[in-house]
Amino acid sequence: MLKKLIFSGSVLLAGLLPTVEATHAANGDTLKQIRERGEILCGVHPARHGFAAPDSKGTWAGFEVDYCHALASAVFGDAAKVRFVALSSQQRFPAIQSGEVDVLARNVTATLTRDTALGLNFAPPIFYTGTGFMVRKDAGVEKIEDLDGATICMAPGSTTERNVAQIFAARNLSYTPVVIENNKQLVDAYVTGRCDVLTKDKAALPGVRAYDTQDPEAHMLLPGIYSKEPLAMAVRQGDDEWYDIVKWVIYATFNAEELGVGQANVEEQMKSQDPDIQSLLGVIGDYGQKLGLDDKWGYNVISQVGNYADIYDRHFGPKSPIALDRDLNRLWSDGGILYGFPIQ
């Protein structure tokens, strides 16, 4: 068992080895263990604006945090029955492989190697983004080519680290990497001028301005997205029951938005005669039983956490601290690529 440090209702793993052999979960074991424990262990980012961060009282909030709450709603009928485990980029994969967490919801890009060599199964992506670059407005930088010879701050063990190497090599540009694990230290290094550029998933960069309390408007994002980064929740291979639950909770949030069912009107929609809405909310069918859940699992998710638009707007909508256009994160019917499979 890995050594754990517990603080403010969350867990920080310590003493992790660089590599941990993937352990395959027996079908049904994960759900059984979760029910016996009475809570879901959800691995999240220690502090990333909009996605996951604890407040001064240790209460977690964020886009990925809400998807952990959605899983708890489906399994227990209680969104609060989840414990958040703060994981660095180096810790995240050993934690899910070893069973220290039940699900990984930590800005993880789904890739072929991670899907196979790491013994993971990825649920449908819940956020599409790509590598972006932040620079100071007074640096006179307008495009990637202007970064030749720049010093670039980045996190280790991320797809961003590899992407930057490929992007610069393809353009015959040079750069000096400054690799820092701790997110706050990474951003501080950029804000204080230790590096010329900060690179992360583009969706994570707008929140960086909050770190510069002296002049938050001094920074800008370079135009363009330079990689494909489908962020997805991950589980261990070998437990199809748990994998199915994670998948269908995500699909339920997509479908609910498409059907016009949200947190604000779900009680009214329980009276709908639309069979798709009835199936989603458990009015008809035994779809919950097929997942090993209560048939009202979809209703519990939407009523307690919301549909995709509810979750997105809460953390990235126009009234949120980090306003991001939904772009590809729109429904397929609205010009995006989010597509929920039918509950039939």
Side-chain angles (χ1 to χ4, degrees):
M1 183 66 68
L2 301 174
K3 182 181 177 183
K4 293 184 286 186
L5 300 177
I6 301 178
F7 65 98
S8 302
S10 65
V11 179
L12 179 64
L13 299 184
L16 287 166
L17 297 173
T19 58
V20 175
E21 241 179 84
T23 57
H24 295 263
N27 190 44
D29 277 0
T30 306
L31 182 60
K32 179 182 178 183
Q33 291 167 4
I34 288 170
R35 283 179 167 151
E36 290 175 348
R37 186 192 307 126
E39 61 185 359
I40 296 172
L41 298 178
C42 197
V44 292
H45 198 288
R48 175 161 286 188
H49 285 288
F51 287 96
D55 63 17
S56 59
K57 297 180 180 179
T59 301
W60 287 83
F63 179 83
E64 289 175 321
V65 165
D66 275 357
Y67 267 96
C68 298
H69 284 307
L71 285 174
S73 299
V75 172
F76 295 108
D78 184 348
K81 291 190 174 182
V82 54
R83 186 173 5 149
F84 297 99
V85 183
L87 300 171
S88 70
S89 58
Q90 300 294 332
Q91 294 170 330
R92 54 186 174 171
F93 296 128
I96 185 66
Q97 289 169 328
S98 65
E100 287 292 324
V101 296
D102 304 310
V103 61
L104 203 56
R106 197 218 167 275
N107 274 195
V108 178
T109 300
T111 69
L112 184 149
T113 300
R114 290 173 174 177
D115 194 30
T116 55
L118 296 185
L120 303 180
N121 278 333
F122 285 96
I126 53 176
F127 201 100
Y128 290 92
T129 183
T131 299
F133 298 88
M134 176 169 277
V135 297
R136 294 169 186 78
K137 291 179 180 178
D138 61 8
V141 174
E142 298 180 356
K143 56 187 184 299
I144 285 289
E145 285 72 19
D146 296 334
L147 298 180
D148 191 21
T151 300
I152 304 178
C153 278
M154 63 187 75
S158 64
T159 53
T160 300
E161 189 176 14
R162 176 184 55 80
N163 291 338
V164 171
Q166 293 180 339
I167 291 164
F168 276 66
R171 291 165 173 77
N172 198 28
L173 305 175
S174 65
Y175 70 98
T176 301
V178 176
V179 182
I180 301 174
E181 170 66 43
N182 181 277
N183 185 63
K184 186 180 186 305
Q185 293 174 3
L186 173 67
V187 176
D188 284 346
Y190 163 71
V191 170
T192 58
R194 183 177 168 188
C195 49
D196 308 309
V197 186
L198 176 65
T199 183
K200 288 173 171 279
D201 290 344
K202 194 165 187 177
L205 287 171
V208 168
R209 294 190 180 100
Y211 282 88
D212 191 347
T213 56
Q214 299 299 316
D215 192 3
E217 297 305 314
H219 311 278
M220 60 175 278
L221 298 179
L222 289 187
I225 292 178
Y226 297 92
S227 67
K228 292 192 292 184
E229 305 292 333
L231 306 183
M233 300 173 82
V235 299
R236 292 181 300 283
Q237 289 178 0
D239 191 336
D240 289 346
E241 181 182 50
W242 179 234
Y243 181 41
D244 285 345
I245 289 171
V246 176
K247 284 192 301 185
W248 284 99
V249 166
I250 292 167
Y251 285 143
T253 66
F254 297 170
N255 286 333
E257 181 184 358
E258 183 177 345
L259 292 167
V261 181
Q263 204 168 16
N265 70 350
V266 66
E267 299 299 337
E268 177 186 347
Q269 292 290 348
M270 287 290 286
K271 304 171 186 176
S272 172
Q273 297 304 304
D274 184 328
D276 288 331
I277 294 177
Q278 291 178 324
S279 298
L280 170 69
L281 300 180
V283 176
I284 63 172
D286 60 351
Y287 303 110
Q289 295 176 49
K290 295 180 190 299
L291 291 168
L293 304 175
D294 187 276
D295 285 334
K296 291 294 194 293
W297 66 278
Y299 165 81
N300 291 334
V301 169
I302 306 309
S303 64
Q304 296 184 30
V305 183
N307 64 25
Y308 187 88
D310 291 329
I311 298 170
Y312 189 97
D313 288 347
R314 194 175 295 139
H315 305 291
F316 302 116
K319 296 181 180 180
S320 70
I322 308 172
L324 292 177
D325 186 272
R326 277 183 64 171
D327 196 24
L328 292 178
N329 297 300
R330 299 179 186 274
L331 295 176
W332 67 281
S333 53
D334 193 28
I337 56 178
L338 298 185
Y339 188 104
F341 287 11
I343 299 175
Q344 294 177 357

